[in-house]
């Protein structure tokens, strides 16, 4: 770094031309001075933030609650992005003058998926499983969107990552499907059979098909989330498969229809 004779820095292309500390702990966020550690007007900033404000304050411009963030901007306009350490909460705020003029929480993919599922619940007997037509069976050379075991083994299975369903903890659903085998709720990886077992896939891996029936009602007691479909068949020469899989709210099975969210 070069300096003029009076001690001022000589600006080059490599100069970091900010004029505020690059770290600041926020204890309150009423003004830009609270957030940045310096007044807004006339300061160029790029600041790493520790956000120790109260995360229960309505309309707060930051996430608070021991979160983290970054502040940025020049002259009289600044922006901040803060995130919670505890849950997927993030806020973005911006403005000029002496405090932020607007602030919004950021919507995550999970928020959008939950909203979609909430809207789908308003439609009776809608199929919640995306890309559900099939046929579904373990394939020797699955595409990159799938996972499976050795198709030469007795226990053959595949996870279909493009066929997903969002399930809400505590709610009741009914599975229905068609197969050229026999549906079962018993997973026996050591015995060849004509069974077809349908699961909610990883990370839960829960069997949802019934025994000798094309429809089965279950209550989802695991965490609310979006999960892929998994299908098992048994025997290295097995040709068992299933298709027209439907997962719907309630305890009644209805005719297969595609999910409205299918692309």
């Amino acid at each position: 770094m070069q300096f003029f004779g009076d001690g001022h820095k000589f600006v080059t292309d490599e100069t970091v031309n900010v004029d505020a500390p690059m770290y600041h702990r926020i204890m309150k966020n009423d003004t830009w001075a609270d957030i940045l550690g310096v007044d807004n007007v006339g300061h160029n900033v790029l600041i790493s933030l520790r956000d120790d404000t109260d995360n229960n304050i309505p309309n707060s411009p930051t996430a608070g609650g021991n979160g983290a963030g970054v502040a940025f901007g020049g002259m009289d306009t600044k922006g901040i992005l803060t995130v919670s350490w505890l849950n997927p909460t993030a806020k973005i705020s911006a403005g000029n003058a002496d405090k932020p003029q607007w602030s919004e929480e950021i919507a995550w993919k999970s928020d959008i998926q939950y909203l979609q599922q909430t809207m789908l619940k308003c439609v009776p007997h809608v199929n919640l499983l995306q890309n559900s037509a099939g046929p579904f069976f373990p394939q020797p050379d699955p595409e990159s969107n799938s996972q499976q075991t050795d198709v030469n083994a007795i226990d053959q299975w595949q996870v279909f990552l493009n066929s997903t369903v969002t399930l809400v903890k505590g709610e009741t659903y009914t599975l229905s499907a068609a197969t050229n085998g026999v549906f079962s709720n018993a997973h026996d990886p050591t015995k060849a059979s004509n069974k077809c077992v349908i699961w909610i896939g990883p990370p839960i891996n829960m069997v949802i098909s019934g025994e000798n029936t094309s429809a089965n009602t279950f209550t989802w007691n695991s965490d609310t989330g979006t999960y892929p479909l998994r299908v098992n068949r048994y025997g290295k020469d097995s040709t068992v498969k299933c298709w027209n899989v439907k997962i719907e709210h309630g305890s009644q099975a209805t005719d297969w229809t595609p999910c409205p969210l299918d692309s």
Side-chain angles (χ1 to χ4, degrees):
M1 180 68 67
Q2 300 181 32
F3 294 83
F4 289 113
D6 60 1
H8 286 84
K9 295 179 181 178
F10 177 74
V11 178
T12 70
D13 291 341
E14 297 179 353
T15 299
V16 180
N17 57 335
V18 294
D19 46 23
M22 298 189 71
Y23 169 78
H24 182 62
R25 182 184 182 190
I26 309 174
M27 302 301 294
K28 60 179 183 176
N29 54 21
D30 297 324
T31 68
W32 281 122
D34 296 331
I35 297 168
L36 305 175
V38 295
D39 292 332
N40 175 30
V41 178
H43 289 101
N44 302 324
V45 302
L46 181 60
I47 305 173
S48 173
L49 301 173
R50 161 77 178 202
D51 187 4
D52 286 335
T53 58
D54 186 349
N55 60 343
N56 295 312
I57 298 176
N59 303 316
S60 172
T62 64
N66 312 125
V70 61
F72 49 90
M75 298 183 68
D76 65 346
T77 300
K78 304 295 186 295
I80 47 173
L81 172 65
T82 53
V83 297
S84 169
W85 73 271
L86 182 62
N87 51 52
T89 299
K91 284 190 174 182
I92 188 166
S93 306
N96 51 28
D98 64 342
K99 61 183 179 181
Q101 268 70 58
W102 63 267
S103 180
E104 288 285 347
E105 285 196 11
I106 297 174
W108 303 102
K109 181 180 179 181
S110 58
D111 296 326
I112 297 171
Q113 290 173 331
Y114 183 78
L115 176 60
Q116 289 174 333
Q117 294 299 316
T118 301
M119 294 173 65
L120 289 178
K121 287 179 65 175
C122 299
V123 183
H125 304 299
V126 68
N127 192 350
L128 304 175
L129 179 67
Q130 291 187 253
N131 304 312
S132 59
F136 298 102
F137 58 93
Q139 302 173 57
D141 186 18
E143 299 177 358
S144 59
N145 65 347
S146 307
Q147 304 173 25
Q148 71 154 42
T149 55
D150 182 2
V151 293
N152 291 315
I154 292 177
D155 180 21
Q156 300 181 33
W157 60 271
Q158 186 166 338
V159 175
F160 299 89
L161 298 179
N162 282 344
S163 299
T164 60
V165 60
T166 297
L167 301 174
V168 178
K169 186 174 184 177
E171 296 197 358
T172 298
Y173 302 88
T174 294
L175 164 76
S176 58
T179 182
N180 61 343
V182 176
F183 285 118
S184 177
N185 61 10
H187 170 57
D188 185 349
T190 65
K191 183 179 179 181
S193 68
N194 65 344
K195 289 182 178 181
C196 180
V197 178
I198 299 178
W199 312 55
I200 297 299
I204 302 301
N205 290 312
M206 169 184 165
V207 174
I208 59 171
S209 52
E211 189 67 26
N212 296 316
T213 179
S214 61
N216 185 57
T217 297
F218 63 96
T219 298
W220 187 249
N221 291 317
S222 296
D223 290 340
T224 297
T226 300
Y227 303 94
L229 185 73
R230 169 180 164 178
V231 174
N232 278 59
R233 68 183 182 188
Y234 304 90
K236 67 178 183 178
D237 298 319
S238 175
T239 59
V240 170
K241 57 189 173 183
C242 64
W243 60 92
N244 288 359
V245 180
K246 186 174 186 178
I247 299 176
E248 55 192 303
H249 278 106
S251 57
Q252 180 183 358
T254 60
D255 292 341
W256 178 84
T257 53
C259 177
L261 300 179
D262 287 353
S263 54

